[in-house]
Amino acid sequence: MNRYIIRRLLIAIPTLLIISVVVFAILALAPGDPMSQFAANPAVPPEVRENMRHALGLDQPWPVRYVKWLTEFVQGNWGYSFISKVPVIGLVAQRLPNTLAVLGVAYIVSILIAIPIGIISAVRRYTLFDHTATAFAFIGYSIPTFFSGILLIIIFSIKLHWFPFIYDSTLKVHDFSTLMTQISQSIMPITVLALFETATLTRFVRSEMLENLSLDYVRTARSKGLAERVVIIKHALRNSLIPVVTLIALGVPTIFTGAIITEQIFAVPGVGQLLISSIEVNDTPVVMAITFVYAILVVGFNLVADVLYGALDPRIKYT
Amino acid sequence: MARAEALPTLTRAELVRKPRSLWGDAWSSFRRHRLAMAGTVVFSLLAVATVLGPFIYTADPATIDFAAGYQAPSLVHPFGTNDLGQDLFARALLGGRISMAVGIVAMLISITFGTLVGSLAGFFNRIDGLLMRMTDMFISLPSLPLLLLIVYLFRDALHALFGPVVGIFILVVSVIGLLNWMPVARLVRAQFLSIKRREFVEAARSIGASDVRIITRHMLPNAMSPVLVAASLSVGAAIITESALSFLGLGFPSDRPTWGRMLFDARNFLELAPQMALFPGLLIFLAVISMNYIGDGLRDALDPRRLGA
Amino acid sequence: MGAALSGGGRWRGLLVALASALLVATACTTPPSGASPTTGASASASAVARGGGGTLHILYWQAPTILNTHKAQGTKDYDAGGLILEPLAKFGPDAKPVPFLASEIPTLQNGGIAADLKSITWKLKQNVKWSDGTDFTADDVVFTWQYVADEKTAASDSETVLGVSKVEAVDKNTVKVSFTDPNPNPYQIFVTGLGNIIQKKQFQSCIGAAAETCAENNKPVGTGPYKLVDFKPGDVVTYTINDSYRDPGKPFFKDVQIKGVADAATAARSVCQAGDSDYGWNMQIEWSILSQIVSGGKCVMVTHDSPNVERILVNRADPSASLGDKRSEPTTQHPFLSDLNVRKALAMAIDRKTLATQLYNETGKATCNIVTAPAEVNSPNTASADICQFDATKAGQLLDQAGWTKAADGKRAKGGKQMVINYLTSTNDLRQKEQAIVKQNWEALGITVNLKNVPASVFFSSDAGNPDTAAHMYYDVEMYTNGSSDPDQQNYLSGWLCNQIAQKSNQWKGNNYERYCSTQYDNLFAQYKKELDKTKRSQLAIQLNDMLVNDVVIIPLVARAFPVASASKDLKGLNGTPWESDLWNIQEWYK
């Protein structure tokens, strides 16, 4: 197993290099540039724009720019944002806590809700509970977050005045009342995200449970006279959770890049929001940094998932 | 007692019909699945309505008439009208064509490709690493710039080859499908890894079954459960994603209604004209949930362990 | 988990990226603008004491990303930096300069402007201090010029130094600006938000190539009413009163926060429905939505006439893809848009009144001019012109005359070729609705119209390799908003000269996207450029405008209001001007 992990880690290096080249090329070749905010303003003459492109190094061919970026990046220098002229690492560090506070919590909440609902739905298949859960899951899935977000704002912020809908990132939690403020300002974005993610995860837990409940070992356990509760929790659930745990592990990297729409609707300054606004203005250093860290997380958690899979299911062998 | 009486009623024809085929069994099992049948009926209704509807309900979906804006559902306008006074029922019928087609085709592309990559990776150790690293790469690509690039690279060529509408359709479904096969690939691979060592696979191998046969006849049916869940979910997601593409100008023209686009346009009219959101939302929901029950039925039908149960 | 978790999850990643892109993509370019306080407002505000108010909450749907306005990326940055940094003067609502760091406005009469128009001498206010307590002097002004003029600084407002030969400190409080040629617009430098003065002490090591990554860019020291507390780029800026600010009674609000939100509707909801915020910037949404939100009752709309006109550009060159390299090159001729009758018909077929009333209403009105502000250059001649009247019948006749007759299927064709118009604009809810209306108008004439929209970052990009930019003009018509960014129209009107035609040979770097070329226009412009008398200049600007409108080079649609904002009912002292930032006179605001 150790050798397997080491080999996978070694393979990760060329993988990440290839990913970074491809991403850089896509960014360089896709249409659009950081000057676009100026172009419709006739007062900005083309020479000024050329000057600015030159200052950003955009007049060089992209392979040259890529090599420069990579050399700096491996030395721990993430570069400067084209747009705000500050170090990229500072920008990302500023955003990360907000992302974790909203998306991380939503992720945990949805796991905590989805697993029991999925289990009950599977065990009580085609009962009222199952049908209700299914309907809710699909409502949650059919309603895009751009829609549920605005719906919540209208109901809870504008009609009822319960929660603020513009996230205040300058809030510092130091006592009970600021904690309550923090909770009240995060509750709607967390709900929107959890609604969506619970919907998805419930379906997978339910389907995995159903799969296992019909397997021979569950019948065997039942026929041994074990209590149904024990059969479900000790036998079926444990085995069903194996793929679910994998799925959860594979989902962790997405916490980093954030839930872009939800962050935007509630003005949560997360990494996702930074990523999309940087993409919009072709702020290559920021986009590169975020996608590259994301790629590292993807590759890393893929390994974690594989290792977990092997550890939880003795039938799987990695060599 | 009942069983004893039932046996003699089997006709000779029924006895001769064996060996039963996998698909024949599946179909009879599927038919017994009430929800699956209900899903099939609803989905077919939606499909028929969107294909034939615009020929029967002939109100023009594009005509702008500000005087007729924001009307609640009525006999004249069954779904009401939007802010521009356009007939929402006509738009929903026309929009459903693209939405349903995009949803299904994009889902099929991503499921097919994902299943192919996932099963190959899960089955053949040698190419597992390569395929999974490729999957990692696709997951890491930033979708928006990639989309812009793909659209610019292929738009004109597809336009020239297939004409504007079909060209855009091919572009949209391939973009959505090809950017979304990765989770399916991972799921299938995970299932394959787990199934590979099970007795029935070993058994098939020991009687000399070929790799292809083991994959398609023995392993895939057993790995389909999460794939079907993913498939039913991805239809809805594709419908919504299409609207985002269209909004950005990367998909269908802005004057071409689709369900996702209608829902997106409605987001700021919740208080003024809730019908603008209600109907497209409901249609997407019906399409997705009926797909899900069809998937449920298929899974049960294809599961050899549940046959005859 | 959404994304990787499920089959559906990854969808969300894509969806999210796309849909949020569209939330941001609604950006439209408005020229950066500056500001100035007016006497009327300050009189009423003088009753309130400095710092008497709490925090002023301002919402922008594009969050500021940099505070040094000379490296600004857009209006949001000029506006946010403008609370800290100030120019010598700003243009007020009447397009007249209002002194800020200057003690008075130099004119020909008071001798501040040389009779030959080759120099302007600014007297600075005495005893102005930077927020760090040091003295503001003429040296800072000279340094600002050096900073902006250095090509390596790559200042985004460096057009203000073009034609400036020298800036010198005559004494501690006097600055003389010399021009290479007589300059009819001597206020081109150090006026408006583009002319903000930065502190020499702070930025002297940030000049040239060092400017790009200088940490001072995001914590400028200024002379303005506020100083920086905290800045999170792309999110929020927090300010507090600058204790060294020269007016002891101002500003009223102790703290200010500028926060970026998703879109104009969100900002409006916060100000008008929830009452959580005080000011929402640039309400660029359909009137139907806006009016409904404003009816929440907690806010009022703030609007002002502006030079920004939403217009349709008509391509004179042939954009057919089959032409390959020659596509939309000025050497080609558009198959039907080169015919004046066809262009006239297109203009007359558009019901711009309905478009303006339904979609803009208080935020814009129908216009047939492309120069609309200041008032003295807004042509009175076009309103009665036949091409400015909505008349579908006449339009149809013109097309018949031009030989584009209706076939049996109701489509216009000539010589067996159908009239098809490809119509491009940037992605924006409002614009797509405008497109739908214009399409309906044109299709009623029997013309086939194909709509297309691309993200603003693509449409307004200056990337020569990108075929969908406004400058490439690979479409028959395009639509966006433009207008002069300062009261003088020279820069703006130069955008229709023959030598400004965007084409392959200049990498599409010209402002003449229509490929319009007329010696008559060029000659009239040359005359305008030389004219130094203000009244005569205005008349010439009107003539140039009329020429473009009558020849249907562009089809003006809507004169948009700017600023157009939602402000809390209690907020007083606002006095918007189209030439400056919404926040140009924030020191006068009070509750």
Side-chain angles (χ1 to χ4, degrees), chain B residues 64 83 176 234 247 255 264, chain C residues 11 22 288 433 439-440 468:
Chain B
I64 297 170
D83 54 319
I176 301 179
S234 67
F247 181 87
D255 53 336
F264 184 81
Chain C
W11 291 104
L22 53 88
S288 50
K433 289 194 176 161
K439 175 176 173 153
Q440 172 152 314
D468 282 339

Side-chain angles (χ1 to χ4, degrees), chain C residues 50-87:
Chain C
R50 170 181 281 198
T55 305
L56 177 68
H57 290 276
I58 297 172
L59 298 179
Y60 269 55
W61 49 262
Q62 286 181 323
T65 46
I66 191 165
L67 293 179
N68 173 5
T69 54
H70 300 295
K71 297 291 279 180
Q73 303 291 321
T75 311
K76 62 195 197 308
D77 303 323
Y78 285 104
D79 292 10
L83 265 63
I84 299 169
L85 300 169
E86 294 176 305

Side-chain angles (χ1 to χ4, degrees), chain A residues 167-206:
Chain A
Y167 191 93
D168 179 8
S169 58
T170 59
L171 178 79
K172 289 191 177 62
V173 177
H174 51 78
D175 58 14
F176 183 72
S177 84
T178 48
L179 180 67
M180 291 314 285
T181 316
Q182 173 63 26
I183 291 174
S184 85
Q185 74 172 352
S186 345
I187 208 159
M188 287 199 296
I190 289 175
T191 308
V192 166
L193 288 171
L195 187 75
F196 191 88
E197 304 197 342
T198 310
T200 317
L201 190 55
T202 312
R203 302 309 298 166
F204 281 95
V205 174
R206 178 179 177 276

